Amino acid sequence: MTKIKMFGVLRKFADEQGHLQIELTEGMTVSKFKTALKTTLLNKFADFDPKMIDESAVANHSEFLGLDEIVFQQKEIAVLPPVCGG
């Protein structure tokens, strides 16, 4: 299991430290990771809207990751929803 750090409105779907555990497979891309994350959250939370993950960025400890980049080898994975502000 890998710890995923959830930020912003996604923290309500994580533990008190803002983490969510998810199983990653070798060679998993960000796109497939997002699909697995949506499935996990839909199974756990009735009020989860999968669009939140579609619109979120995925990052490692130093940069944002593109949809075709591999997440399995990342030491830290964070999911950052879009931010609205004025």
Side-chain angles (χ1 to χ4, degrees):
M1 297 296 265
T2 301
K3 279 187 181 178
I4 311 301
K5 182 74 173 175
M6 307 291 272
F7 287 90
V9 297
L10 296 174
R11 278 187 66 99
K12 72 178 183 177
F13 302 111
D15 65 17
E16 290 181 10
Q17 290 77 37
H19 292 106
L20 177 71
Q21 298 275 344
I22 189 170
E23 187 71 36
L24 299 181
T25 58
E26 188 170 347
M28 182 178 270
T29 62
V30 170
S31 180
K32 290 181 181 182
F33 164 74
K34 283 184 162 189
T35 299
L37 183 57
K38 288 187 289 187
T39 300
T40 298
L41 293 171
L42 281 168
N43 289 332
K44 287 184 165 188
F45 302 99
D47 63 336
F48 173 69
D49 179 1
K51 289 182 203 170
M52 289 194 288
I53 299 300
D54 292 335
E55 298 171 356
S56 293
V58 176
N60 63 19
H61 66 281
S62 63
E63 64 186 354
F64 290 102
L65 302 173
L67 289 176
D68 57 349
E69 291 188 66
I70 305 296
V71 295
F72 182 74
Q73 299 160 339
Q74 306 298 323
K75 292 181 181 178
E76 298 176 353
I77 299 173
V79 180
L80 302 106
V83 178
C84 296

